[in-house]
Amino acid sequence: MTKHAFSLWNNLLGWFAFLVAFITYYLTAEPTASFWDAGEYIATSAKLQVGHPPGAPFYQIFGAFFSMFASDDSQIAFMVNLMSGVASAFAILFMFWSITLLLKKLTKNIEGNSKTSDAAILVSSTIGALTFTFTDSFWFSAVEAEVYAMAACLMAAMFYIGLLWERDMHQPRGNRWLILICLIIGLSFGVHFMGLLTIPAIGFLYYFKTYKTITVKNFIVANLVVVRILLFIYKLLLPYPLTFFAKMEVFF
């Protein structure tokens, strides 16, 4: 299969998986509020109010946008719930493309019919993405107004972009993907901190790309480095600037 043909089918099947996921979550979305934080998120998003600490401003801005398309007040809850379905469908899309990138890399050195190999990659990616679409926990968070669906979308996007960075790392302007990853990490602060959990995986993509010889010593060092980067962002970069801005707001 030519590179152009594979790219075309990769895009078509990726968006097919997105469409299947979106239709599934649209048909099964909660019509009103669920019996926990969802009611608060719906109300604070629709009115652009302040939710419970530590807050989710990026999520609530998108919630306000989706609530604008409600036909009347009784449909606001459904529209904010549907936002989770859209975010989850995009997570499935990024997952599909991540699987194709990983399988392309794994089968690169396998001898055989390229057309058959590419077809197997596309079918496997479709099965993998659609299987995850119907998993219990992911489907549960995709049909109600909670931050976990959008956080999963950001995690899927970060890992996919991390794979693109790993692919283009040693090419001119290859580090542009790293800048996009940094932007998404910043946006994830306004949704849920679980987006930070993608950082160690991206760190290991860099490690395995850079170090051709893997030893016990440099593997342990790589583990320590990625954990320290995660701790630096989570324990220092995240809380202290937010505390500073909070104190400045009270002061002024």
Side-chain angles (χ1 to χ4, degrees), residues 9-243:
W9 279 106
N10 189 39
N11 288 326
L12 288 175
L13 289 174
W15 285 108
F16 169 74
F18 168 88
L19 193 62
V20 171
F22 174 72
I23 291 172
T24 301
Y25 302 145
Y26 175 80
L27 294 175
T28 57
E30 287 276 4
T32 57
S34 305
F35 293 111
W36 59 322
D37 292 345
E40 179 203 353
Y41 279 121
I42 291 166
T44 54
S45 295
K47 299 294 184 181
L48 275 181
Q49 297 169 340
V50 179
H52 66 264
F58 189 67
Y59 173 91
Q60 288 170 307
I61 288 170
F62 267 92
F65 173 75
F66 271 77
S67 69
M68 291 167 56
F69 295 94
S71 56
D72 54 68
D73 290 347
S74 65
Q75 294 297 307
I76 288 176
F78 174 75
M79 290 306 299
V80 181
N81 288 332
L82 186 61
M83 178 177 67
S84 293
V86 174
S88 297
F90 272 106
I92 296 300
L93 175 67
F94 292 129
M95 174 179 286
F96 176 91
W97 287 337
S98 296
I99 295 172
T100 56
L101 278 173
L102 287 170
L103 291 179
K104 262 292 191 183
K105 192 173 183 64
L106 287 172
T107 59
K108 175 173 63 174
N109 298 321
I110 298 177
E111 295 181 2
N113 190 322
S114 173
K115 189 174 182 179
T116 305
S117 176
D118 287 345
I121 289 172
L122 292 169
V123 171
S124 301
S125 301
T126 305
I127 293 171
L130 291 180
T131 300
F132 193 72
T133 299
F134 297 99
T135 50
D136 183 70
S137 297
F138 189 74
W139 193 350
F140 185 86
S141 68
V143 295
E144 65 176 11
E146 252 293 359
V147 293
Y148 305 116
M150 188 174 287
C153 177
L154 292 174
M155 290 178 72
M158 280 175 60
F159 187 69
Y160 171 63
I161 296 167
L163 290 171
L164 294 177
W165 177 48
E166 187 271 344
R167 183 193 66 186
D168 300 340
M169 191 179 295
H170 301 311
Q171 297 180 11
R173 299 181 68 246
N175 287 331
R176 69 189 187 278
W177 299 115
L178 184 60
I179 298 172
L180 185 55
I181 290 169
C182 294
L183 172 65
I184 297 175
I185 289 172
L187 294 177
S188 71
F189 289 175
V191 179
H192 194 278
F193 299 153
M194 65 186 278
L196 299 177
L197 298 175
T198 320
I199 293 173
I202 295 173
F204 277 111
L205 289 175
Y206 174 82
Y207 165 70
F208 286 112
K209 179 76 171 183
T210 305
Y211 290 87
K212 302 302 180 184
T213 304
I214 308 301
T215 63
V216 174
K217 181 180 178 181
N218 63 28
F219 181 71
I220 292 173
V221 170
N223 276 272
L224 292 173
V225 169
V226 295
V227 169
R228 284 185 177 183
I229 292 172
L230 184 61
L231 288 174
F232 169 74
I233 295 173
Y234 186 71
K235 291 293 186 181
L236 294 174
L237 194 61
L238 176 60
Y240 287 107
L242 294 179
T243 302

